């Protein structure tokens, strides 16, 4: 919570038990007060700077959990002078509405005057003293205990759950903090759409509790913005930065204004806009922050007071879980925060100067180090470590590999003592491996990389490693494998495992979980117990890691025992789950052995995984019972340029379609499939399961070209591409977020139903009339969104036009049901009782990816229900559906694409084209999803979908799609990939629709 907890260097703990006699001269320095309504430990600290009742009384500040701002104020006076403390209870009125049995409980106006957020006060009298306390409702149990102790009464009876929950604002504050913490965890886990929803709800509660508290509201919004930027959602991040800055006005604290500048620098660095990053890094700080820094600098010692290890824990409670673990009002004292703000900006300036290849980067690092040196010990160890890492990498860039190894070894060792299993530890191990490789220590580099990737795969909340960082390790493994030939089986297995640690769309984990659920009807209880045990173990490990530096052996022993007990519970639960469902652990395991992939593939199938990094392309292929790893010259930068060029040719213009750039399509093919293509053909592979990472997943692989036509001039002149060797003419294609997710999907088996199909849409589009906008605005506001969100579709003309329905004679062999027009709403879909009995679901509507502020999730557009709902079938709503389908067809606009060059709502996506909608449908129970990378014209879409359903009854889904595409390719007028190429199948599409139970071997 953003309530500051007061730190004291020494404290005499006051045990509350039985009757206690208190004398004025012996008021304790601190009181141990048990737990608050939020289940947080509370204590009170005496204020020696406040004189009460002419020195005969005392005032205490009461703190709970990690709060650093007092949760309540308590005053105790002799009974004879009790009137001198009446000012504390100004505005309070006695009430029995909460049913509290002990102490005179009063309701008081809250400090922020919010209706939901109000103060609670108590007054307790003893023989010699009177105690009065006023503060947050959640602190009432601690207030009562303090009052009893200071007046010599019996310790109060603990409040019941019903009594606690009746207090104003208690549940809302608990919900808000839970949402914010969960938002952080989901961002760390790359569940960004769900995190956005959590943050939005937290902001809504914030407004209800604190009214116009712009500071806390901005703090929440900025946390979201920088995380959006960290994973490439730049347009959303910028919009949120702008909206937050505009909404702050003069009410926001100065430190937030400085924080937003630092966060924008991180954002500019993420975007690669180094001049903007440097310009922002050189901005002056607010006068308030500058004054604090000046005050520290003028001090004779050059430092501020040291803090205890326990205090440092609260300062750094995010330190191991995010990169970088940025400061907020919830973490730092004002003076410490000012130092860290300025030190972090100096560090960021050093990075920007390095990227700009300008001098003075070392000076900026020196400034950052000096500032951190003036802060309390342990105030920002993450920043100290990252400064050390930057110095080591600078030495490496300068050619001083041995010195870099020495420095980075020290950084890694020091941090590993603090956080042995964290993502920042993995980062430092990766940097050390890079330095050792440059120093010629290949074996040492491999050992460091192995350890780092073990953390990337195993640390709770890890989303994996970036392609660039993984690329260093994968390239090293590839080189070693190339030197060993056929004797490199173990290294190949390690290569596959490391590749699977590369950041993957959340669809991979979603697919595995869904498959496990589908395949585990008889073991749901055991699996739920295992999942709960895993979560408990994770929390125990986090608690142990967070308090690793605490100066309390007994506390560390307790935490160690808790983690060991939780680990045993996980092992016991896992054993029970294995007995109930032997395949479960294999289904949910994110990593996968290449041998498992080989056993899962059919004899004419191959899995090809590929990623482009800053230094080149890396991938592996499994086919014919063997694994082949490879490296190409396709850098990420060049891959992005080729993808951009191809996508440009797939946008119709007023003068017609641009020519298809065959040369670039072939160049991209060579960079991705070139090293394995000849072997795939020789092995007679018919189907490729493509598992891309990064930008290469932004195009369907079927539109790449395996050979340049002999007469390119004729092809360009005629725009007849029917003779071009597109990969669609040679292979069936399926896509998979990862090898593990494909194995899981294949093992799930077919849907139970066969021959049932429901078509949703088209709906009634937004019309942007005053009445419609007014209605939509009210719905947005009711969900806690700003009023301006009611006009979110203004200017989006494509979304206000009616869509062409799926022709009534399409899928005629299926038992078809239509839900369209006013019946197609987000409310009604959730009420559909027969969803789980539909083998195929078709959605004819627009798909878009939100604006990061009004619409925070990928969504499908529906009609507005007469009452309730917002006309958006969002990713989180889809997650709640219960499906058992072989196929979900998203016949919508750009439902799988990365928005390269688009404008408006459709331009904003999170960079992982399989995330969002596709992920949600897979999690909800779809074996495969067919989505589109762009919107084809009506004629082509009709021909593709019609032919697909005509043949999918006796052909596998992937083969039926390829057959439909081939029919258009052979038609010169529609042979341009724009017409036939947008479709991609994600998941397992290896079975015919009307013969879902047929074995794979017979289907092929």
């Amino acid at each position: 919570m953003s309530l500051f907890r007061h730190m004291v260097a020494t404290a005499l703990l006051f045990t509350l038990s039985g009757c206690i006699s208190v004398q004025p001269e012996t008021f304790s320095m601190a009181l141990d007060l048990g737990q608050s309504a939020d289940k947080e430990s509370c204590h009170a600290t005496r204020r020696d700077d406040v004189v009460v009742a002419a020195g005969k009384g005392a005032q205490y500040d009461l703190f709970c959990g990690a709060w650093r701002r007092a949760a309540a104020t308590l005053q105790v006076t002799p009974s004879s002078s009790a009137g001198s403390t009446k000012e504390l209870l100004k505005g309070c009125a006695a009430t029995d509405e909460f049913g509290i049995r002990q102490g005179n409980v009063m309701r008081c106006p809250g400090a922020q005057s919010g209706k939901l957020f109000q103060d609670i006060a108590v007054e307790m009298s003893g023989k010699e003293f009177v105690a009065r306390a006023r503060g947050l409702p959640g602190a009432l149990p601690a207030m009562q205990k303090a009052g009893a102790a200071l007046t010599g009464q019996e310790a109060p009876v603990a409040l019941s759950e019903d009594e606690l929950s009746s207090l104003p604002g208690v549940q809302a504050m608990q919900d808000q903090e839970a949402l914010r913490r969960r938002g952080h965890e989901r961002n760390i886990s790359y569940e960004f759409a769900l995190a956005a929803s959590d943050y939005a709800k937290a902001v809504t509660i914030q407004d209800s509790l604190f009214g116009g508290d712009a500071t806390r509201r901005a703090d929440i919004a900025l946390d979201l913005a920088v995380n959006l930027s960290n994973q490439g959602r730049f347009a959303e991040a910028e919009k949120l930065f702008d909206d937050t800055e505009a909404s702050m006005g003069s009410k926001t604290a100065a430190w937030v204004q400085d924080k937003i500048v630092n966060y924008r620098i991180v954002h500019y660095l993420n975007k690669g806009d180094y001049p903007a990053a440097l310009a922002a890094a050189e901005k002056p700080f607010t006068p308030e922050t500058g004054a604090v820094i000046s005050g520290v600098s003028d001090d004779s010692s050059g430092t501020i007071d040291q803090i205890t290890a326990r205090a440092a824990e609260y300062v750094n409670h995010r330190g191991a879980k995010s990169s970088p673990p940025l400061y907020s009002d919830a973490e730092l004292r004002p003076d410490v925060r000012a130092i860290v703000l300025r030190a972090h900006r100096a560090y960021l300036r050093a990075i920007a100067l390095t990227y700009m290849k300008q001098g003075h980067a070392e000076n900026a690092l020196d400034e950052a180090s000096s500032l951190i040196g003036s802060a309390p010990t342990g105030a920002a160890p993450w920043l100290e470590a990252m400064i050390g890492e930057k110095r080591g990498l600078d030495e490496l860039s300068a050619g001083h590999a041995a010195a870099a190894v020495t420095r980075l070894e020290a950084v890694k060792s020091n941090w590993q003592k603090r956080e042995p299993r964290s993502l920042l530890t993995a980062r430092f191990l990766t940097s050390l491996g890079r330095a050792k490789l440059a120093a010629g220590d290949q074996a040492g580099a491999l050992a460091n990389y192995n350890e780092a990737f073990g953390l990337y795969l195993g640390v709770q909340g890890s989303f994996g490693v970036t392609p660039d960082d993984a690329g260093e390790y994968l390239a090293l493994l590839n080189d070693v494998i190339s030197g060993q030939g056929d004797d490199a089986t173990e290294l190949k297995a390690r290569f596959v495992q490391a590749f699977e640690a590369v950041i993957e769309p959340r669809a991979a984990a979603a697919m595995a979980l869904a498959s496990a659920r589908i395949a585990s009807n008889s073991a749901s209880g055991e699996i739920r117990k295992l999942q709960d045990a895993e979560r408990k173990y994770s929390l125990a490990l986090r608690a142990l890691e967070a308090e690793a530096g605490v100066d309390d052996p007994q506390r560390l022993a307790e935490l160690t025992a808790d983690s060991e007990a939780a680990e045993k519970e996980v092992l016991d639960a896992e054993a029970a789950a294995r007995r109930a469902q032997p395949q479960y652990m294999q289904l949910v395991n994110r990593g996968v052995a290449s041998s498992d992939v080989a056993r899962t593939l059919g004899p004419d199938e191959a899995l090809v995984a590929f990623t482009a990094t800053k230094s080149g392309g890396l991938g592996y292929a499994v086919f014919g019972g063997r694994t082949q790893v490879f490296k190409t010259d396709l850098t990420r930068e060049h891959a992005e340029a080729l993808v951009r060029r191809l996508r440009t040719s797939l946008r119709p213009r007023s003068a017609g379609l641009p020519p298809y750039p065959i040369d670039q399509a072939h160049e991209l093919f060579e960079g991705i499939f070139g090293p394995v293509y000849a072997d795939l053909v020789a092995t007679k592979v018919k189907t490729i399961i493509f598992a891309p990472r990064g930008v290469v997943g932004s195009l369907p692989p079927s539109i790449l070209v395996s050979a340049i036509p002999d007469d390119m001039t004729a092809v360009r002149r005629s725009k007849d591409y029917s003779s071009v060797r597109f990969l669609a003419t040679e292979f069936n294609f399926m896509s998979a977020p990862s090898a593990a997710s494909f194995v899981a999907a294949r093992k799930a088996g077919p849907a139970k139903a066969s021959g049932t199909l429901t078509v949703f849409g088209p709906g009634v589009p937004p019309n942007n009339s005053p009445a419609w906008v007014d209605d939509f605005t009210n719905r947005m506001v009711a969900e806690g969104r700003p009023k301006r969100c009611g006009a979110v579709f203004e200017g989006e003309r494509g979304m206000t036009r009616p869509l062409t329905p799926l022709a009534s004679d399409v899928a005629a062999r299926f038992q078809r049901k239509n839900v369209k027009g006013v019946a197609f709403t987000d409310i009604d879909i959730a009420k559909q009782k027969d969803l789980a009995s539909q083998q195929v679901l078709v959605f004819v509507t627009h798909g878009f990816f939100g604006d990061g502020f009004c619409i925070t999730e990928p969504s499908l557009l529906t009609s507005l229900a007469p009452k309730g709902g917002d006309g958006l079938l969002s990713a989180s709503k889809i997650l709640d559906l219960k499906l058992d389908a072989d196929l979900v067809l998203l016949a919508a606009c750009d439902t799988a694409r990365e928005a390269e060059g688009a404008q408006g709502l459709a331009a904003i996506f999170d960079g992982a084209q399989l995330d969002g909608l596709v992920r949600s449908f897979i999690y909800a129970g779809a074996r495969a999803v067919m989505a589109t990378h762009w919107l084809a014209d009506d004629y082509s879409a009709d021909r593709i979908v019609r032919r697909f359903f005509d043949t999918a009854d006796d052909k596998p889904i992937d083969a039926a799609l390829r057959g439909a595409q081939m029919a258009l390719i052979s038609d010169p007028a529609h042979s341009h990939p724009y017409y036939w190429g947008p479709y991609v199948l994600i998941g397992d599409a290896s079975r015919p629709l009307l013969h879902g139970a047929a074995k794979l071997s017979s289907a092929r």
Side-chain angles (χ1 to χ4, degrees):
M1 298 182 179
S2 65
L3 298 172
F4 276 55
R5 177 178 180 171
H6 179 67
M7 296 298 174
V8 291
T10 59
L12 299 174
L13 298 183
F14 197 89
T15 305
L16 300 175
S17 59
C19 295
I20 301 171
S21 177
V22 182
Q23 297 299 324
E25 65 273 11
T26 59
F27 286 133
S28 293
M29 181 71 174
L31 309 177
D32 184 0
L33 301 174
Q35 289 189 328
S36 69
D38 301 323
K39 308 297 184 185
E40 294 182 309
S41 297
C42 300
H43 71 270
T45 303
R46 194 180 70 208
R47 291 283 301 273
D48 290 339
D49 59 330
V50 178
V51 177
V52 177
K56 298 179 181 180
Q59 179 168 313
Y60 288 81
D61 286 343
L62 191 153
F63 304 91
C64 296
W67 299 8
R68 295 203 187 133
R69 189 175 298 153
T73 298
L74 185 146
Q75 292 181 343
V76 57
T77 61
S79 301
S80 59
S81 57
S84 64
T85 62
K86 282 290 186 180
E87 183 67 21
L88 181 66
L89 304 185
K90 183 178 180 180
C92 300
T95 179
D96 59 0
E97 64 181 291
F98 309 122
I100 307 300
R101 292 159 290 177
Q102 184 167 348
N104 180 18
V105 179
M106 290 164 272
R107 181 194 285 271
C108 317
Q112 306 294 336
S113 300
K115 292 181 179 179
L116 185 59
F117 183 72
Q118 299 187 19
D119 284 351
I120 287 289
V122 293
E123 183 177 49
M124 304 179 74
S125 300
K127 293 180 179 179
E128 301 176 59
F129 300 99
V130 175
R132 297 184 176 94
R134 175 174 178 171
L136 300 177
L140 178 60
M143 291 158 61
Q144 289 184 309
K145 288 182 180 179
L150 292 170
T151 57
Q153 299 185 52
E154 291 282 349
V157 178
L159 299 180
S160 69
E161 292 293 330
D162 289 342
E163 289 172 332
L164 291 174
S165 62
S166 71
L167 297 175
V170 166
Q171 189 61 52
M173 289 194 72
Q174 292 172 341
D175 290 346
Q176 187 201 40
E177 182 61 15
L179 285 166
R180 195 171 181 189
R181 289 176 180 172
R182 191 172 70 179
H184 281 300
E185 292 176 359
R186 283 176 162 173
N187 273 318
I188 292 168
S189 299
Y190 257 43
E191 298 175 305
F192 297 106
L194 298 179
S197 176
D198 285 340
Y199 280 117
K201 291 174 183 176
V203 169
T204 299
I205 294 176
Q206 168 67 25
D207 291 342
S208 298
L209 286 172
F210 300 104
D213 188 347
T215 297
R216 182 169 169 82
R217 196 181 198 283
D219 196 24
I220 297 171
L222 292 177
D223 282 341
L224 173 58
V226 79
N227 278 282
L228 291 172
S229 176
N230 281 343
Q231 50 92 30
R233 297 168 70 173
F234 299 135
E236 288 173 270
E238 288 177 2
K239 182 66 174 174
L240 197 52
F241 277 129
D242 292 342
D243 283 333
T244 303
E245 198 165 20
S247 67
M248 291 192 310
S250 60
K251 298 180 181 179
T252 303
W255 68 265
V256 178
Q257 299 172 37
D258 292 321
K259 173 179 175 177
I260 195 171
V261 174
N262 283 19
Y263 275 31
R264 282 193 186 272
I265 300 169
V266 175
H267 171 63
Y268 294 140
L269 290 171
N270 287 337
K271 287 180 63 179
D273 189 351
Y274 306 129
L278 183 57
E282 293 175 342
K283 284 186 175 182
F285 283 84
T286 58
E288 293 85 348
T289 298
V292 173
I293 296 294
S294 298
V296 173
S297 301
D298 292 341
D299 185 87
S300 58
S301 66
T303 62
I304 57 180
D305 292 341
Q306 300 294 297
I307 57 176
T308 66
R310 180 67 175 170
E313 172 209 338
Y314 289 108
V315 172
N316 299 294
H317 70 265
R318 284 191 223 161
K321 302 304 178 187
S322 59
S323 180
L326 299 175
Y327 32 77
S328 81
D329 192 32
E331 294 178 6
L332 301 177
R333 290 188 341 227
D335 47 5
V336 179
R337 184 179 58 242
I339 292 174
V340 177
L341 275 165
R342 190 156 181 171
H344 186 233
R345 188 172 301 182
Y347 167 78
L348 294 173
R349 186 167 70 254
I351 294 176
L353 286 167
T354 300
Y355 279 126
M356 294 286 288
K357 298 182 179 180
Q358 295 185 13
H360 313 301
E362 186 70 21
N363 294 340
L365 278 183
D366 289 342
E367 180 185 344
S369 295
S370 176
L371 285 163
I372 288 300
S374 70
T377 301
W382 57 272
L383 187 51
E384 292 181 78
M386 292 171 72
I387 291 170
E389 180 198 33
K390 177 73 168 64
R391 292 190 189 279
L393 294 177
D394 286 346
E395 289 172 332
L396 184 61
S397 297
H400 308 306
V405 169
T406 300
R407 186 183 296 274
L408 291 170
E409 184 73 65
V411 170
K412 184 271 297 184
S413 298
N414 291 336
W415 186 261
Q416 201 165 29
K417 292 175 184 176
R418 176 184 294 274
E419 297 288 351
R421 289 186 56 80
S422 74
L423 299 182
L424 207 51
T425 302
R427 167 177 166 160
F428 296 148
L429 282 164
T430 301
S431 296
L432 179 58
R434 184 186 311 156
K436 286 185 176 179
L437 186 61
D441 184 4
Q442 188 181 77
L446 275 174
N448 288 140
Y449 277 120
N450 289 341
E451 187 178 356
F453 276 71
L455 292 174
Y456 284 129
L457 282 166
V459 170
Q460 177 71 21
S462 171
F463 51 78
V465 60
T466 66
D468 286 345
D469 286 338
E472 299 171 358
Y473 182 35
L474 294 173
L476 174 59
L477 286 172
N478 181 79
D479 292 344
V480 176
I481 291 168
S482 298
Q484 295 187 12
D486 295 335
D487 297 328
T489 302
E490 182 179 343
L491 287 175
K492 287 181 180 179
R494 194 179 297 173
F495 184 100
V496 172
Q497 184 183 43
F499 189 98
E500 290 299 300
V502 174
I503 293 175
E504 63 190 33
R506 288 298 89 192
M511 189 183 295
L513 289 171
S515 300
R517 186 183 64 216
I518 294 167
S520 305
N521 291 334
S522 62
S524 58
E526 290 84 354
I527 290 170
R528 177 59 184 271
K529 289 180 181 178
L530 173 57
Q531 292 171 339
D532 290 343
E534 288 173 336
R535 181 175 179 274
K536 181 178 178 181
Y537 181 44
S538 170
L539 294 174
L541 284 178
R542 289 188 186 188
L544 180 59
E545 290 176 3
E547 300 199 37
V550 67
D551 299 329
D552 187 346
Q554 181 178 351
R555 176 62 175 162
L556 287 177
E558 292 173 355
L559 292 170
T560 301
D562 288 346
S563 65
E564 290 173 350
E567 182 179 18
K568 183 179 184 302
E569 190 174 337
V570 168
L571 295 175
D572 292 344
E574 181 179 324
R578 286 183 185 276
R579 288 192 298 270
Q581 177 48 259
Q583 293 181 324
Y584 172 73
M585 293 310 297
Q586 186 175 5
L587 288 169
V588 299
N589 184 15
R590 185 173 71 171
V592 67
S594 55
S595 56
D596 288 337
V597 177
R599 283 192 292 269
T600 303
L601 293 169
D604 57 0
E605 291 182 323
L607 184 140
V608 179
F610 180 85
T611 188
T613 75
K614 64 182 178 182
S615 57
L618 291 150
Y620 71 89
V622 182
F623 58 99
R626 62 192 178 94
T627 301
Q628 181 176 337
V629 306
F630 60 91
K631 182 168 64 173
T632 73
D633 295 330
L634 182 66
T635 64
R636 182 187 67 248
E637 183 179 10
H638 191 43
E640 290 172 349
L642 290 173
V643 168
R644 190 177 303 113
R645 176 69 181 88
L646 264 61
R647 290 199 67 90
T648 300
S649 73
L650 300 168
R651 300 191 198 113
R653 310 290 171 82
S654 57
L657 273 173
Y660 187 65
I662 294 175
D663 290 344
Q664 284 84 359
H666 177 67
E667 189 176 357
L668 196 55
F669 156 80
E670 288 287 357
I672 299 173
F673 296 100
V676 296
Y677 173 73
D679 290 333
L680 295 175
V681 173
T683 314
K684 297 182 178 179
V685 167
K686 295 181 180 178
T687 299
I688 294 176
I689 295 92
F690 187 42
R693 298 289 200 279
V695 69
V696 296
S698 300
L699 285 174
S702 58
I703 69 172
L704 303 184
V705 176
S706 63
I708 299 292
D710 294 333
D711 192 351
M712 277 284 291
T713 302
V715 172
R716 288 174 178 152
R717 185 182 303 115
S718 66
K719 296 186 179 180
D720 177 1
Y721 303 95
S722 58
S723 62
V724 175
R725 285 174 57 181
F726 295 108
L727 288 187
T729 66
E730 302 181 74
F731 304 100
N732 304 321
F733 275 99
M734 292 181 268
S735 290
S738 68
S741 64
F742 167 73
V743 171
R746 177 63 59 85
K747 289 181 179 296
K752 297 180 179 65
S754 180
T756 53
L757 179 148
T758 296
V759 179
F760 290 100
V764 179
N767 59 38
N768 282 330
S769 66
W772 192 95
V773 170
D774 185 60
D775 180 28
F776 191 64
T777 299
N778 292 334
R779 296 172 191 245
M780 291 282 100
V781 172
E783 295 189 2
R785 297 169 188 171
K787 187 175 181 180
R788 69 170 181 80
C789 292
V792 70
F793 293 115
E794 286 187 359
E796 300 289 338
R797 289 178 295 176
M799 292 186 181
T800 61
R801 299 191 189 106
L803 287 172
T804 303
L806 188 70
S808 58
D809 58 337
V810 172
R813 303 185 204 181
F814 288 78
Q815 183 181 339
R816 176 172 160 172
K817 173 185 174 182
N818 297 297
V819 180
K820 58 185 179 180
V822 295
F824 174 42
T825 73
D826 56 318
I827 299 294
D828 290 326
I829 289 174
K831 297 178 180 179
Q832 294 285 327
K833 296 180 179 180
D834 60 347
L835 278 180
S837 64
Q838 299 302 297
Q839 186 192 16
V840 180
L841 299 173
V842 180
F843 288 85
V844 183
T845 184
H846 287 292
F848 56 94
F849 309 105
D851 64 351
F853 197 78
C854 294
I855 302 173
T856 56
E857 294 186 65
S859 302
L860 294 175
L861 188 64
T862 73
S863 306
L864 283 179
K867 292 184 179 180
D870 56 8
L872 302 171
L873 184 62
S874 64
S876 58
K877 292 176 184 176
I878 294 168
L879 288 172
D880 292 330
L881 302 179
K882 300 294 188 293
L883 308 182
D884 183 23
D886 278 325
L887 179 67
V888 171
L889 170 57
L890 301 180
C893 174
D894 289 23
T895 46
R897 64 166 293 207
E898 178 177 337
E900 180 68 48
Q903 298 296 323
L905 291 176
I908 302 169
F909 193 26
D910 62 6
Q913 75 288 346
L914 301 181
D915 202 4
L917 297 171
V918 173
R919 166 178 56 85
S920 298
F921 276 112
I922 288 173
Y923 185 89
R927 286 13 174 229
V929 176
M930 185 191 299
T932 55
H933 280 276
W934 61 86
L935 183 64
D937 72 329
D938 286 345
Y939 174 80
S940 300
D942 179 75
R943 285 186 62 182
I944 289 281
V945 174
R946 186 181 298 277
R947 186 176 179 90
F948 168 77
F949 279 111
D950 283 346
T951 57
D953 56 346
D954 57 5
K955 285 185 179 181
I957 295 170
D958 58 345
L961 175 58
R962 181 186 165 210
Q965 292 174 316
M966 289 289 290
L968 279 185
I969 293 173
S970 63
D971 175 3
H974 296 89
S975 57
H976 191 294
Y978 162 74
Y979 296 107
W980 55 266
Y983 304 93
V984 60
L985 285 163
I986 305 102
D988 182 23
S990 60
R991 302 178 184 87
L993 285 179
L994 295 185
H995 300 280
K999 294 181 179 179
L1000 178 61
S1001 58
S1002 63
R1004 301 277 178 198

